[in-house]
Amino acid sequence: MRIIDRFDKYMNAKDLNDNQVTVSCGLSVGLLGKARRGDSDLGKKAIDKILSFYQDLNRVWLLTGEGDMLNESTDVAATHNRIRYWVDVDATAGGVTLFDDQVTTKYIDIDIPEFRDCTDAVNLYGDSMLPLYKSGQIIILKEWMESFIDYGNVYLVITKKGNRMVKYLRKGSDAQHVLCVSENKEFDPFEIEKDDILRLYLVKGGISKNTL
């Protein structure tokens, strides 16, 4: 059994998909699929990233198949409290100005119990979400993995063109569009095409930098 086959077993046990693993571990897009097809190996760098994030995964088992899949001494709950604070990534609450694995690798792991289901945090700048979120806050995010949009919530929207913005998402004028709405009524709503959305993150809350 190959390393990728054992990791697939772990992914199945944890109900993980390729996109979740790729984003959480900062892997190259398509790397897992290439490894399954035999086009490339995972490589030491990718394996180290995987083991660093999924700390309950037994390194020896992953590499050799020996022993148990999970580390007995690992606090499994703690692995799900890790939030990656991307220190040099900004989200805009104004107009539209990429927050993904390819843009930066500079992040700090933070642990906030109140946001135990969240995955990422970024800096927010701009006034369009006042008074809900203020410029200079850190917003706490959970990647939206569903195939539908839960309208009425606040999202960090990343488009295929590299734009990112924090807005309420509501139904657009037709099935191909979504309406982006600001909290601050001085900012006009606008539509974007659904097909232009690369990734969505649900904004679960915000904290001020001076609280860290």
Side-chain angles (χ1 to χ4, degrees):
M1 183 180 290
R2 303 172 300 170
I3 292 176
I4 185 61
D5 298 325
R6 286 190 288 273
F7 187 55
D8 276 340
K9 184 176 180 180
Y10 173 84
M11 288 176 61
N12 290 332
K14 296 293 182 176
D15 196 25
L16 299 169
N17 61 43
D18 284 12
N19 191 47
Q20 288 173 301
V21 172
T22 297
V23 172
S24 296
C25 299
L27 304 180
S28 299
V29 175
L31 177 64
L32 297 175
K34 291 177 181 177
R36 293 189 189 99
R37 295 192 299 270
D39 295 340
S40 65
D41 296 326
L42 281 180
K44 182 181 184 302
K45 186 176 180 180
I47 292 171
D48 286 344
K49 288 182 178 181
I50 289 169
L51 290 167
S52 176
F53 190 84
Y54 299 109
Q55 296 183 6
D56 60 338
L57 178 58
N58 185 336
R59 172 183 287 271
V60 174
W61 176 84
L62 180 64
L63 297 178
T64 69
E66 298 178 1
D68 297 325
M69 180 173 69
L70 301 179
N71 292 316
E72 293 181 2
S73 61
T74 300
D75 181 358
V76 176
T79 65
H80 298 288
N81 291 341
R82 293 160 53 96
I83 297 174
R84 299 182 303 177
Y85 169 39
W86 299 88
V87 295
D88 57 355
V89 173
D90 298 335
T92 63
V96 291
T97 59
L98 203 52
F99 161 53
D100 64 17
D101 331 311
Q102 308 305 315
V103 174
T104 178
T105 58
K106 296 180 181 179
Y107 65 85
I108 300 171
D109 285 328
I110 57 177
D111 185 359
I112 309 176
E114 293 81 359
F115 296 103
R116 64 181 66 252
D117 63 336
C118 296
T119 56
D120 298 274
V122 297
N123 304 306
L124 177 69
Y125 294 105
D127 297 327
S128 75
M129 295 307 292
L130 285 174
L132 182 62
Y133 296 114
K134 298 178 181 179
S135 183
Q137 279 189 306
I138 298 170
I139 51 173
I140 311 299
L141 310 169
K142 178 181 180 181
E143 186 178 7
W144 187 251
M145 305 300 297
E146 304 294 342
S147 58
F148 63 91
I149 298 174
D150 189 10
Y151 291 109
N153 289 312
V154 179
Y155 294 88
L156 168 61
V157 183
I158 302 173
T159 71
K160 294 177 181 178
K161 298 176 182 177
N163 298 319
R164 56 188 183 272
M165 54 194 165
V166 175
K167 300 292 178 186
Y168 287 103
L169 292 189
R170 296 176 181 164
K171 291 185 177 180
S173 57
D174 55 42
Q176 286 73 47
H177 291 81
V178 296
L179 185 66
C180 300
V181 181
S182 301
E183 179 80 12
N184 187 339
K185 301 308 178 186
E186 294 186 6
F187 290 78
D188 294 330
F190 58 90
E191 287 192 331
I192 61 173
E193 294 183 1
K194 276 186 179 180
D195 287 344
D196 190 34
I197 297 175
L198 176 65
R199 194 171 295 163
L200 290 177
Y201 289 83
L202 187 64
V203 179
K204 299 295 290 284
I207 57 176
S208 299
K209 286 185 179 179
N210 59 9
T211 62
L212 286 180

